[in-house]
């Protein structure tokens, strides 16, 4: 299943989308300080997707392509519940631009490993794991051929007059091949295991062309990094698939799901019990038809966010 996702950044700022997907909070709520949300919200969030999963007994792991100190995200990831952050200091990638297969391989190793203190050796009895993988192959620049040795006989990779767009599309082809190989490995090595796969786009690439009138309006309004519900510049996707079970998927109907609601969709798709926070999130998501920051009922959003603060799930200090 693949559906539309709306994010709050264009051409860069992956950490902003990741923040929303992991915490369930839109970065737009933080105004002009939102680029620094990882720094000033560290230690202030008491309920996030990894924290919830830890409470359900999960081991939580982040696979990060480069040094996770970038933009202060490692401190945030640790504070919101990740047991381990596997970044370049641990996986020792030769550089930050590896094929997706490299990072997916790190995740597969985590999923297949049997910890020394795990008394239950059978795969179906192991502690469940939540692994987040960030990849870099599709990242800019696109002015050179990435992994030319992976070209297959007969592949010319010339579809457009724009060579950079063709290069980006080639990297998406590689990403799909690597993802398919990753899932095939898990099906082979962890047969019968219940695994939920969630993919999402963090933002559109900077090579995407915005209509001139829209770019001019955004620049004049000074809102380039703000979510505009009418703009296609903030549209990406999320995709859900599963191994070993049929996930519970939300009913279609919303124009696009906003990134802050994606953790709620993940919890429901996995069939996990809803705690008080996620119960309220489900109601808000349904009430706003998948929207959050741009929900027409602003009072409903503010009421929910005030409840998070009053209940101690988000600290002001």
């Amino acid at each position: 299943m693949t559906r539309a996702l709306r994010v709050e950044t264009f051409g860069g700022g992956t950490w902003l989308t990741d923040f929303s997907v992991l915490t369930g909070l839109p970065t737009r709520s933080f105004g002009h300080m939102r680029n620094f949300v990882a720094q000033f919200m560290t230690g202030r969030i008491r309920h996030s997707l990894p924290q919830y999963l830890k409470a359900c007994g999960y081991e939580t792991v982040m696979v990060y392509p480069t040094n996770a100190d970038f933009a202060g995200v490692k401190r945030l990831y640790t504070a919101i519940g990740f047991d381990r952050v596997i970044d370049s200091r641990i996986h020792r990638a030769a550089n930050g631009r590896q094929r997706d297969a490299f990072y997916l391989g790190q995740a597969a190793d985590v999923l297949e490993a049997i910890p020394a203190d795990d008394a239950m050796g059978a795969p179906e009895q192991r502690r469940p794991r939540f692994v987040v993988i960030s990849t870099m192959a599709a990242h800019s620049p696109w002015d050179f051929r990435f992994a030319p040795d992976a070209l297959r006989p007969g592949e010319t990779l010339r579809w457009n007059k724009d060579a950079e767009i063709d290069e980006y599309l080639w990297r998406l082809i590689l990403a799909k091949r690597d993802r398919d190989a990753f899932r095939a490995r898990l099906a082979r090595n962890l047969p019968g295991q219940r695994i939920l796969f969630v993919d999402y786009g963090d933002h559109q690439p900077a090579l995407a062309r915005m209509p001139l009138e829209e770019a001019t309006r955004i620049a004049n309004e000074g809102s380039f990094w703000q979510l505009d519900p009418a703009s296609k510049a903030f549209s990406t996707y999320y995709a859900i698939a599963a191994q070993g079970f049929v996930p519970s998927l939300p009913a279609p109907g919303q124009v696009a799901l906003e990134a802050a609601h994606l953790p709620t969709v993940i919890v429901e798709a996995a069939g996990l019990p809803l705690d008080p926070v996620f119960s309220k999130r489900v109601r808000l998501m349904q009430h706003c038809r998948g929207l959050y920051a741009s929900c027409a009922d602003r009072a409903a959003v503010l009421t929910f966010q005030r409840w998070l603060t009053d209940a101690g799930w988000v600290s002001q200090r």
Side-chain angles (χ1 to χ4, degrees):
M1 179 210 77
T2 301
R3 292 181 183 166
L5 181 72
R6 188 170 294 279
V7 297
E8 297 180 312
T9 184
F10 172 83
T14 297
W15 68 91
L16 299 175
T17 303
D18 288 347
F19 176 87
S20 292
V21 171
L22 294 171
T23 68
L25 299 172
T27 60
R28 187 178 183 180
S29 298
F30 301 94
H32 294 298
M33 289 294 292
R34 69 197 207 93
N35 276 332
F36 310 100
V37 68
Q39 288 92 335
F40 66 76
M41 287 305 293
T42 295
R44 296 184 176 185
I45 298 172
R46 309 283 186 260
H47 188 282
S48 65
L49 181 57
Q51 285 168 320
Y52 160 81
L53 291 171
K54 277 177 66 71
C56 291
Y58 281 71
E59 178 186 5
T60 54
V61 181
M62 163 71 72
V63 177
Y64 201 79
T66 57
N67 188 322
D69 286 334
F70 172 75
V73 295
K74 184 176 182 180
R75 290 180 63 249
L76 174 71
Y77 292 155
T78 301
I80 62 173
F82 280 100
D83 296 313
R84 288 189 283 159
V85 178
I86 302 174
D87 66 357
S88 59
R89 290 168 294 189
I90 297 175
H91 57 59
R92 300 293 184 181
N95 55 60
R97 189 178 293 281
Q98 302 295 310
R99 275 188 63 163
D100 290 5
F102 177 85
Y103 307 110
L104 293 170
Q106 297 289 318
D109 290 344
V110 169
L111 293 169
E112 295 170 4
I114 302 176
D117 60 350
D118 194 338
M120 301 178 179
E124 64 274 10
Q125 296 176 319
R126 294 177 198 167
R127 183 183 180 190
R129 289 164 184 161
F130 171 64
V131 184
V132 177
I133 311 118
S134 183
T135 61
M136 283 286 289
H139 202 282
S140 62
W142 304 280
D143 58 359
F144 68 96
R145 173 68 72 224
F146 181 80
D149 57 322
L151 282 167
R152 294 175 178 175
E155 287 184 330
T156 60
L157 309 181
R158 294 180 181 176
W159 305 289
N160 303 277
K161 294 181 180 180
D162 191 320
E164 288 194 334
I165 292 179
D166 281 351
E167 174 61 20
Y168 179 70
L169 294 175
W170 160 239
R171 297 183 193 184
L172 294 185
I173 291 173
L174 288 176
K176 183 180 187 303
R177 291 177 185 172
D178 291 348
R179 183 192 63 199
D180 291 346
F182 167 69
R183 296 184 183 180
R185 171 180 168 176
L186 295 182
R188 182 175 61 253
N189 295 346
L190 298 174
Q193 285 295 287
R194 293 165 55 95
I195 303 176
L196 182 71
F197 301 100
V198 181
D199 300 279
Y200 66 90
D202 50 353
H203 56 75
Q204 289 191 35
L207 54 76
R209 306 296 189 251
M210 220 187 274
L212 178 60
E213 60 273 16
E214 181 178 347
T216 302
R217 175 178 59 79
I218 289 176
N220 289 339
E221 294 175 358
S223 59
F224 184 80
W225 296 105
Q226 297 297 321
L227 175 64
D228 180 353
S231 173
K232 294 181 180 179
F234 301 99
S235 296
T236 66
Y237 78 97
Y238 73 99
I240 294 178
Q243 170 186 308
F245 77 108
V246 178
S248 177
L249 302 177
Q254 68 269 3
V255 176
L257 186 80
E258 291 192 1
H261 283 312
L262 187 54
T264 305
V265 171
I266 292 172
V267 168
E268 287 198 295
L272 295 171
L274 300 177
D275 65 4
V277 178
F278 274 116
S279 294
K280 285 183 176 290
R281 287 190 179 280
V282 168
R283 290 195 290 272
L284 180 66
M285 180 175 66
Q286 293 173 342
H287 176 71
C288 292
R289 298 182 64 247
L291 302 180
Y292 193 131
S294 58
C295 177
D297 189 350
R298 189 62 182 160
V301 173
L302 293 177
T303 297
F304 170 68
Q305 295 191 154
R306 170 52 62 184
W307 176 81
L308 287 176
T309 302
D310 292 345
W313 298 116
V314 176
S315 173
Q316 293 180 322
R317 296 183 181 181

